[in-house]
Amino acid sequence: MLNRRETLKAALLGSGVALLPARLGAAPVAAFQSAPVRWIDGAAPALQPGQTFGVAWPRGAVKRGTALSVTARDGTPVPSQGWTTASWPDGSIKWSAHAIPADIAPDGLSVTRGRPAMPARPVRVTESVDAVTISVGDLQWRIGKSGAALVQQASVAGRAVLGPVTLIGAARTEPLHGADLPFAGQIERVTVEQTGPVRAVVKIEGAHVSGERRWLPFVVRLYAYAGSSGLRMVHSVVFDGTASKDFISALGVRASVPVKDAALHDRHVRFATDAQFFAEGVRPLTGLRRDPGMAFKAAQVAGRAVPPLDTMAKAVRATLERIPAWGDFRLEQPTANGWAITKRTAPEQGWIDADEGRRAPGLAYVGSPQGGAALGVRYFWQRHPTALHIDGATGDAAALTAWLWSLEAAAMDMRPYHGTMGMERFDAQNEGLSVTYEDYEPGWDDAAGIARTSELMLWAFPSTPDSALLQGLATMQAAPPQLMVAPAHLHAAQVFGDWGLPDRSTPNRAAIENQLSNLVDFYAGEVDRRAWYGFWNHGDVMHTYDSDRHRWRYDIGGFAWDNSELSPDLWLWYQVLRTGDAKTWRFAEAMTRHTGEVDVYHSGRFKGMGTRHGVQHWSDSSKQPRVSNASYRRPFYYLTADERVGDLLHDLITSDQTLTTVEIGRKVPNAAKKPALPAGTIEMTFGTTWCPLAAAWLTEWERTGDVRWRDRVTAGLDSIGRLPKGWMTGSAPFDLASGRFLDQGRGIQFSHLNAVFGAVEVSSELIRLLDVPRYRAAWLDYCRWYNAPQGAYLAKFGAPLGPRNLREGHSRLTAYAAFAEKDAALATRAADEFLSGDAGLGTWPSDPRHRVDGVLEWPGVSTNASAQWGLAAIQNLALVPEALDRATIIAPDAPGRRRQGDAGRD
């Protein structure tokens, strides 16, 4: 077995050997090693919009204040900008973030010690009383501090090429036939978060206004990178309306583009599509009965100014005014599998069909040889109904609008999907829970407070770019390139607990690694096969399959949308950490964007809570921290330094206060009478409530250095360790002021959910970071005894044994105890539990027998068990690989193999 020094050396050299975690607890200071960084797609992209990525460092390896720089493979400095995003307890850098310009895409990067190189044309930020100006070379963005215009103007070399950029939309009081009431964004606060030299970040906060009403609060961040003609826009909006009377019928971003200085035939409209690029003139010069001359046609198609009109064929020059000019264009994407372009000459004229296809990448341009602008929307077809509109192209200024919810679509309907159905009382509600797995209570199926974050790109050009460049930009923004630090370096830094690099060195390890890949392929494929798309749905997956109907249980209570149940987010991110795989990254990223926004309340009475799985993402009445879980966001935040996710993590640090008014366990069938609680306390489970909160407090401490959050975590760790039954107590009164659990002399209470919402992962991190021996002992006891054989358990504790579930997933608890205590018998038990198929992965998605009408089907599959299998596989491979080698992997569907069990609920 590799010792720690050999392990670290092999990791940093990129060895293919599967590496075991280092000794639990404090580790010696590591020597500095440069961090290799790679593009997740395997090669440098043709275009990239500017990059930000995170790098983890071993404890003590990079002292606070150390300058870090980016270099190319040959050691050439790459312009970069760096900052610290997290620190170790000794003050050394744990995570750093780095940005590089947009006009370079080097391969084989490294982050090392040294002063960062400056870009040739640095980003510069200046502030005045009423505006923030970002300069990127000759391009200037003027950002408003008040009013409606986020961007007041963009100019190139002093010439305005873009007018006001605003947030717009409309709502109605009745979903089908109500009158649309327009609203527009109004700025309330502007903060400059970074000032260059490689990137600048401006945060704009406000709300939408309709008459006297201010609602739909928004946060928009604008990112400018050196070498880029674009602004990245991260647009977040919170729905704080009333679902029964606020039906949003449009939501978008509009840019005004001046075109008055260009003749109609020199005005250009462009749409990126998944087929032929749509490139036309407002007044077309091609296809006419009379030929204006090749130079004129070629110039218009290329987006250049046409030659002087006195050189045009006279028959065309004399009749230019007889050629219709097209003022309005629409690209509508009403579903994930169809778009159409239409156009008209004027508002009072009819629409003409122009083109159609399947999945548009989401970019439109309007402008002229004197300048223009493009808007791009990420997840354009995945988040339908979307649209790109160009209006008024024949006037002085064209309006270029990216609709995040198209005004041509039916209005959003966020009302509950069913009525009370006689379930006013808890006994009837429990009956509903028993048959549909839905935890329902009138009034708790409320969408008010959920959010959605969208990503856009806004470009300002001095003239119309050629179509190849615009198509390239569309491809780039639809699937943005991403840099990621090498998995071996991440592993050597000992972040995120216990995991190892891929290892196919033995038949059993190879089989498990293959299955980990199969699982990602299966679910990523299901997203497309089952069309898990739409503005509110994209990024989530379904909970359980219905093998009778041959579809997922989209309409059956708690079996529908998964909403992070049993940590699929974590499974995907741990697979990213160990592989750096692009498909897994983008799958996990979309899920993080969804679950952290749509499944969580950002305002209102449920603020800080997430919603349990259901037919609608907000329909279940169980509102819990296990869904708003900070553990699910941390990997994405640290790998990308994404400010929006950073905000979401920060917002969770006081979410325990919501538990004083929101009861999260009120209707469990046959629940015992709740014990009386001392003043200032709330009942709190260790794994489904405290561990998610502890992850938020840990993150706040790491990011800010504020020891109040360290002390709050330590208080919880110590007080759990002091309970007579330790972690096996399961739940106890939690004192909100001190952060400590109170001892009421309770006995053992196991819950099959307590350890499957990030408790395993965050406990491993906390044990390494903080010296709290009592907690470590309590956690190891829980790990040893949760899955213990009946005879051993009864001999130790006596009756009752209590219920168990998810034995396969909980095998990673046994593996943890085996590794920590160097117990070979426990390691063998962990391998047997993992490979048992007991309440876990009972069949293999790669098996060709599982097909219905040629489409892959996985009978009985549930996402929660799949996620737990994936996490258990990763941890067992890391902690007890030799025991897995000795075990027998049961063939798929072998006699006696148990299928997945019902994961149940608290």
Side-chain angles (χ1 to χ4, degrees):
M1 179 177 294
L2 297 174
N3 63 32
R4 186 184 182 281
R5 185 177 299 277
E6 292 166 336
T7 297
L8 181 60
K9 181 179 178 182
L12 293 173
L13 292 176
S15 169
V17 178
L19 304 176
L20 300 180
R23 176 178 61 85
L24 299 175
V29 174
F32 179 85
Q33 294 283 342
S34 297
V37 181
R38 57 182 287 277
W39 299 96
I40 62 173
D41 292 300
L47 295 169
Q48 59 97 3
Q51 283 292 304
T52 300
F53 59 92
V55 177
W57 303 98
R59 188 183 333 208
V62 183
K63 300 300 183 184
R64 181 185 303 165
T66 301
L68 295 168
S69 62
V70 180
T71 61
R73 180 180 282 114
D74 63 0
T76 304
V78 173
S80 65
Q81 176 179 327
W83 60 100
T84 299
T85 52
S87 299
W88 289 101
D90 64 2
S92 62
I93 296 174
K94 184 175 185 180
W95 284 93
S96 60
H98 304 270
I100 65 171
D103 54 355
I104 57 173
D107 212 346
L109 294 173
S110 292
V111 177
T112 190
R113 289 183 293 204
R115 187 178 299 277
M118 290 284 287
R121 308 184 80 179
V123 176
R124 302 190 187 280
V125 177
T126 58
E127 277 194 80
S128 64
V129 173
D130 58 352
V132 175
T133 301
I134 301 177
S135 300
V136 185
D138 292 335
L139 174 61
Q140 283 194 335
W141 303 92
R142 181 179 170 87
I143 299 165
K145 284 188 170 182
S146 61
L150 307 184
V151 177
Q152 295 176 344
Q153 179 181 281
S155 59
V156 179
R159 186 177 78 251
V161 297
L162 176 70
V165 178
T166 56
L167 304 182
I168 60 171
R172 56 182 67 157
T173 57
E174 194 275 328
L176 296 179
H177 308 296
D180 288 326
L181 299 175
F183 54 74
Q186 289 287 321
I187 297 170
E188 296 173 354
R189 180 166 55 246
V190 173
T191 306
V192 177
E193 295 184 323
Q194 283 190 325
T195 60
V198 171
R199 79 168 197 167
V201 183
V202 177
K203 180 181 181 182
I204 305 171
E205 299 170 88
H208 293 82
V209 176
S210 178
E212 297 298 315
R213 185 183 190 188
R214 300 183 71 86
W215 70 313
L216 297 176
F218 68 81
V219 176
V220 172
R221 276 189 173 86
L222 302 177
Y223 295 79
Y225 283 84
S228 174
S229 57
L231 279 183
R232 179 171 179 252
M233 180 182 297
V234 178
H235 169 287
S236 304
V237 64
V238 176
F239 175 77
D240 61 347
T242 301
S244 62
K245 62 181 182 181
D246 289 317
F247 300 89
I248 297 175
S249 52
L251 187 67
V253 178
R254 173 167 289 168
S256 176
V257 183
V259 290
K260 65 179 181 179
D261 293 335
L264 293 178
H265 52 261
D266 276 341
R267 302 182 186 186
H268 309 125
V269 169
R270 305 287 188 261
F271 289 111
T273 79
D274 52 357
Q276 180 182 351
F277 193 82
F278 185 91
E280 294 194 355
V282 169
R283 173 170 280 158
L285 297 178
T286 64
L288 301 173
R289 185 180 184 190
R290 307 301 180 191
D291 188 350
M294 180 56 70
F296 290 88
K297 294 186 293 185
Q300 187 176 71
V301 170
R304 303 189 304 268
V306 302
L309 288 183
D310 59 9
T311 64
M312 179 184 284
K314 182 178 180 181
V316 179
R317 183 177 74 245
T319 55
L320 277 177
E321 297 302 317
R322 302 293 178 260
I323 302 171
W326 301 89
D328 304 332
F329 296 77
R330 302 278 188 268
L331 190 158
E332 295 284 338
Q333 181 85 51
T335 74
N337 292 301
W339 57 263
I341 297 175
T342 57
K343 65 181 187 178
R344 68 183 179 185
T345 57
E348 65 274 11
Q349 310 303 143
W351 289 96
I352 301 299
D353 295 333
D355 200 0
E356 63 178 37
R358 189 165 180 243
R359 292 173 169 174
L363 180 142
Y365 167 87
V366 63
S368 73
Q370 286 74 50
L375 260 176
V377 182
R378 190 179 183 191
Y379 301 130
F380 184 73
W381 57 266
Q382 295 95 327
R383 298 245 186 115
H384 62 81
T386 51
L388 292 164
H389 288 187
I390 295 169
D391 296 289
T394 55
D396 289 345
L400 173 60
T401 309
W403 292 108
L404 307 176
W405 187 279
S406 174
L407 78 170
E408 302 292 337
M412 289 185 197
D413 192 342
M414 303 174 74
R415 294 173 295 180
Y417 77 99
H418 71 70
T420 305
M421 297 172 57
M423 292 186 285
E424 290 83 4
R425 296 171 56 88
F426 284 173
D427 54 353
Q429 293 162 23
N430 278 323
E431 291 172 356
L433 176 63
S434 72
V435 70
T436 67
Y437 201 25
E438 178 180 68
D439 195 350
Y440 171 77
E441 184 172 342
W444 287 55
D445 47 355
D446 186 1
I450 70 169
R452 196 40 149 161
T453 288
S454 302
E455 299 172 57
L456 303 92
M457 284 293 299
L458 171 66
W459 289 274
F461 299 106
S463 60
T464 298
D466 63 50
S467 295
L469 174 59
L470 288 172
Q471 185 70 59
L473 294 175
T475 300
M476 176 193 74
Q477 61 87 30
Q482 179 65 50
L483 285 168
M484 176 183 166
V485 65
H489 185 88
L490 286 170
H491 183 263
Q494 299 184 49
V495 290
F496 298 128
D498 306 304
W499 53 277
L501 301 175
D503 177 11
R504 290 182 167 83
S505 61
T506 69
N508 279 9
R509 298 183 202 186
I512 296 168
E513 293 285 1
N514 291 341
Q515 187 67 345
L516 281 166
S517 297
N518 289 340
L519 274 172
V520 173
D521 290 344
F522 174 79
Y523 275 97
E526 284 294 270
V527 169
D528 202 49
R529 286 187 290 269
R530 310 293 178 175
W532 291 338
Y533 298 123
F535 183 82
W536 293 112
N537 296 334
H538 175 245
D540 205 356
V541 295
M542 286 282 168
H543 184 288
T544 304
Y545 192 76
D546 184 342
S547 54
D548 296 313
R549 286 189 288 177
H550 303 304
R551 64 178 66 245
W552 293 76
R553 305 183 199 180
Y554 72 96
D555 58 347
I556 305 296
F559 294 110
W561 291 114
D562 192 68
N563 281 33
S564 293
E565 180 70 358
L566 271 62
S567 308
D569 325 55
L570 272 185
W571 153 52
L572 292 171
W573 279 120
Y574 274 89
Q575 189 67 353
V576 168
L577 293 173
R578 60 200 302 272
T579 67
D581 175 65
K583 177 192 289 187
T584 312
W585 174 293
R586 293 193 172 104
F587 191 8
E589 180 181 9
M591 186 172 288
T592 299
R593 286 293 190 206
H594 172 92
T595 59
E597 302 276 7
V598 181
D599 300 343
V600 176
Y601 288 91
H602 306 268
S603 64
R605 59 174 172 161
F606 303 132
K607 183 178 180 181
M609 300 294 103
T611 300
R612 177 181 174 267
H613 41 103
V615 172
Q616 291 167 302
H617 299 286
W618 50 85
S619 60
D620 196 275
S621 66
S622 181
K623 314 297 184 183
Q624 297 197 23
R626 75 189 210 195
V627 181
S628 58
N629 203 328
S631 290
Y632 299 160
R633 331 288 175 228
R634 296 179 76 239
F636 180 66
Y637 172 73
Y638 284 126
L639 288 171
T640 66
D642 183 87
E643 282 80 5
R644 171 59 181 175
V645 173
D647 287 349
L648 300 180
L649 289 166
H650 173 75
D651 288 347
L652 293 173
I653 60 175
T654 57
S655 56
D656 55 338
Q657 300 300 315
T658 302
L659 299 173
T660 62
T661 57
V662 176
E663 171 57 67
I664 65 176
R666 64 198 173 284
K667 296 194 299 293
V668 177
N670 304 315
K673 184 178 180 181
K674 296 175 184 176
L677 298 178
T681 68
I682 57 174
E683 185 70 20
M684 186 177 287
T685 57
F686 300 158
T688 56
T689 303
W690 184 81
C691 281
L693 294 170
W697 300 331
L698 163 63
T699 308
E700 188 73 3
W701 170 43
E702 289 184 328
R703 292 177 64 195
T704 67
D706 189 337
V707 297
R708 291 178 300 164
W709 304 107
R710 176 204 63 191
D711 294 345
R712 193 165 183 82
V713 172
T714 303
L717 295 170
D718 181 69
S719 57
I720 290 173
R722 289 178 181 274
L723 297 174
K725 300 303 181 182
W727 233 91
M728 291 191 288
T729 311
S731 177
F734 179 79
D735 181 67
L736 287 164
S738 67
R740 298 187 66 85
F741 287 94
L742 306 185
D743 179 12
Q744 291 188 328
R746 299 183 184 181
I748 294 172
Q749 182 180 2
F750 281 122
S751 164
H752 63 288
L753 296 186
N754 228 357
V756 294
F757 285 89
V760 175
E761 292 74 20
V762 77
S763 290
S764 177
E765 282 197 78
L766 293 174
I767 286 169
R768 291 185 179 188
L769 282 172
L770 298 167
D771 184 20
V772 186
R774 288 188 179 90
Y775 185 83
R776 181 176 185 270
W779 177 245
L780 286 173
D781 270 353
Y782 189 80
C783 290
R784 174 182 285 273
W785 293 107
Y786 179 89
N787 262 352
Q790 180 175 347
Y793 179 90
L794 292 176
K796 175 72 173 177
F797 300 106
L801 176 63
R804 299 289 189 279
N805 200 354
L806 300 172
R807 180 169 175 256
E808 183 179 79
H810 281 91
S811 67
R812 68 189 194 276
L813 301 181
T814 313
Y816 185 91
F819 184 86
E821 299 180 349
K822 298 180 175 57
D823 189 324
L826 267 185
T828 298
R829 199 188 95 191
D832 290 342
E833 291 166 0
F834 171 64
L835 296 170
S836 68
D838 188 353
L841 194 69
T843 187
W844 299 76
S846 55
D847 192 323
R849 292 173 293 175
H850 299 318
R851 293 186 179 273
V852 175
D853 297 330
V855 175
L856 185 67
E857 181 196 72
W858 196 1
V861 72
S862 66
T863 298
N864 49 17
S866 302
Q868 285 298 298
W869 185 92
L871 287 165
I874 290 168
Q875 197 158 12
N876 276 279
L877 282 167
L879 296 173
V880 292
E882 293 88 353
L884 291 175
D885 291 342
R886 294 190 298 268
T888 300
I889 292 184
I890 303 173
D893 296 329
R897 185 175 179 86
R898 292 183 60 184
R899 292 197 180 277
Q900 299 176 96
D902 181 357
R905 68 170 297 256
D906 270 345

